[in-house]
Amino acid sequence: VKYHRCQADHPEFTTTYESIGQTVDVDISYLDLMVVRKTILTTYDYILKTFTDDEGVQKPAALRESSAKDSKQSPKPEADKDVSDNVSTLIQEALDTIRVDVRFKGTDFSLCHDDGTPIALLSVTAASMRVLLTHQMLVEATIGNITLADQLDLMPSDESSAMSETKQFNHQAQQDPRRLLLYIKGDELADFRYETFDTSSPSYPGHNATVKLRLGAAHLTFIERPLCELLLFGSRFSAMHGLFEAARQAAAYGTTQLTEEMIGSGNKCHFDVVMSAPVITFPRDGIVPYSSSSDAGNSNRLGVDVIVAQPGELTISNEFTTVHEVGRDWDVNHISLALQRIGL
């Protein structure tokens, strides 16, 4: 983690430091994680029993009344209020201009049975995010790639330790492209950009904010056995349903609030979204012979007869125009939607 602050009167403030008072650079190295159901659920149960109140988070009525009386009888000193105001002012001044860059090399999630034998390897590579706060706001995020490889029946050549076994599994799975259950064609899985604009700026584009999203096409190979094992692996996390449901409700509430604010406030938001649906490949009988190499030169990497389903690419965008009618100018929001590249 690197933090740098530059004063506005510095001679290189507008050149070297691009008129940004604070910069934060965060680099995260590659992580190898083993996901074992028994370990995660045991840890989750320990956290619930240790850090939650079985009797509920509500205080008894008498205790709440006592706390309320104490707060009324002991008002906050005026000196403390002045100090708090001064601190708030200093914090606000310090956060006037700041840029945060986060770079993540990637993570390998080795999904394993309770005894440590691998099921699949989920790899996420080259993620990055940038947040820039000035009189405007800019948020950029990208995810380079994601792969899911079948690791069933892989036997390590060195059984000296669990770590060496995991590395051997990963190496073997990445060498055989026929074991890829999910992969991305192209350089980026996701590219997101959100930017706000100052209406008083000479470069104001005519809208208050813009959202740009690009989702690359994921390729999913429907091989029956590993997918069934993954579904069974996921179903065993039913004990964490409450946590997943709380996260889902929080995300849904945040999205709803943001949508209502954008629509009800009258602000103009320009969006440009291109989403590619997953391309699904169905091999004959749901089986891929990993041991067969007779079709290595074939363009079909699986070496078997397949059906390929392409659900298509969805494009949503809008454009603002001004129409003069009934003696005044009206702002019109034109929204276009297209679905293309559908095939079987």
Side-chain angles (χ1 to χ4, degrees):
V1 178
K2 297 180 180 179
Y3 173 79
H4 188 275
R5 178 164 177 82
C6 180
Q7 295 181 349
D9 56 355
H10 193 280
E12 298 181 357
F13 180 73
T14 58
T15 55
T16 304
Y17 302 105
E18 302 175 356
S19 300
I20 298 174
Q22 300 174 100
T23 58
V24 181
D25 292 324
V26 181
D27 289 294
I28 304 175
S29 63
Y30 211 94
L31 302 177
D32 289 320
L33 304 177
M34 291 186 64
V35 182
V36 181
R37 178 196 65 90
K38 184 177 180 180
T39 304
I40 292 178
L41 292 183
T42 302
T43 306
Y44 176 69
D45 184 64
Y46 167 77
I47 293 175
L48 287 182
K49 291 181 179 180
T50 305
F51 300 105
T52 59
D53 184 6
D54 295 336
E55 298 179 357
V57 297
Q58 292 280 353
K59 290 183 179 180
L63 183 58
R64 291 199 303 268
E65 292 177 1
S66 176
S67 300
K69 291 179 180 179
D70 293 342
S71 62
K72 291 180 180 179
Q73 293 175 359
S74 56
K76 190 175 181 180
E78 195 67 26
D80 292 347
K81 183 176 182 301
D82 294 338
V83 171
S84 177
D85 292 342
N86 292 336
V87 171
S88 299
T89 303
L90 292 175
I91 293 176
Q92 184 62 40
E93 292 177 354
L95 295 179
D96 281 344
T97 58
I98 184 172
R99 182 180 65 199
V100 180
D101 287 327
V102 180
R103 290 173 293 273
F104 186 44
K105 291 184 179 180
T107 302
D108 280 346
F109 297 93
S110 184
L111 312 181
C112 303
H113 290 293
D114 289 348
D115 59 0
T117 56
I119 303 173
L121 174 68
L122 178 64
S123 300
V124 181
T125 60
S128 64
M129 183 179 70
R130 164 173 286 191
V131 178
L132 176 61
L133 298 177
T134 57
H135 56 285
Q136 302 176 160
M137 180 174 65
L138 172 65
V139 179
E140 294 178 319
T142 60
I143 299 178
N145 201 348
I146 183 171
T147 60
L148 180 64
D150 175 19
Q151 290 191 309
L152 293 175
D153 302 327
L154 282 178
M155 297 301 296
S157 59
D158 181 10
E159 298 182 357
S160 59
S161 66
M163 183 58 67
S164 65
E165 290 180 5
T166 303
K167 291 182 178 179
Q168 184 68 20
F169 290 145
N170 299 353
H171 181 67
Q172 293 181 19
Q174 292 171 354
Q175 281 185 334
D176 192 349
R178 292 171 297 183
R179 285 188 173 270
L180 287 178
L181 303 175
L182 179 69
Y183 65 98
I184 307 297
K185 279 188 176 179
D187 297 331
E188 291 182 348
L189 167 64
D191 185 357
F192 173 79
R193 179 185 178 94
Y194 173 77
E195 187 175 6
T196 61
F197 302 98
D198 185 4
T199 55
S200 61
S201 174
S203 59
Y204 178 68
H207 46 265
N208 302 85
T210 180
V211 176
K212 182 180 178 181
L213 177 63
R214 296 289 185 271
L215 292 180
H219 291 252
L220 173 65
T221 304
F222 196 90
I223 304 177
E224 183 175 352
R225 185 186 171 207
L227 289 181
C228 288
E229 289 285 346
L230 287 172
L231 290 176
L232 180 61
F233 176 79
S235 66
R236 292 172 177 169
F237 286 90
S238 58
M240 301 180 67
H241 171 74
L243 177 63
F244 297 146
E245 182 64 18
R248 185 195 65 81
Q249 292 180 358
Y253 178 77
T255 304
T256 302
Q257 291 293 103
L258 179 61
T259 303
E260 292 178 353
E261 181 179 352
M262 292 172 60
I263 296 177
S265 63
N267 292 334
K268 299 179 182 178
C269 180
H270 170 68
F271 51 85
D272 183 9
V273 179
V274 178
M275 297 184 295
S276 298
V279 178
I280 307 176
T281 300
F282 297 91
R284 179 188 293 273
D285 300 327
I287 300 174
V288 174
Y290 295 147
S291 59
S292 174
S293 59
S294 58
D295 295 328
N298 196 329
S299 59
N300 178 9
R301 68 178 180 88
L302 300 178
V304 296
D305 294 334
V306 298
I307 292 178
V308 180
Q310 297 175 322
E313 181 181 84
L314 178 65
T315 303
I316 306 175
S317 61
N318 70 333
E319 182 181 358
F320 293 97
T321 59
T322 303
V323 177
H324 184 79
E325 290 183 359
V326 199
R328 57 168 294 186
D329 292 334
W330 302 84
D331 292 328
V332 180
N333 185 7
H334 299 272
I335 301 176
S336 62
L337 184 147
L339 183 61
Q340 53 190 353
R341 300 179 184 176
I342 302 175
L344 181 64

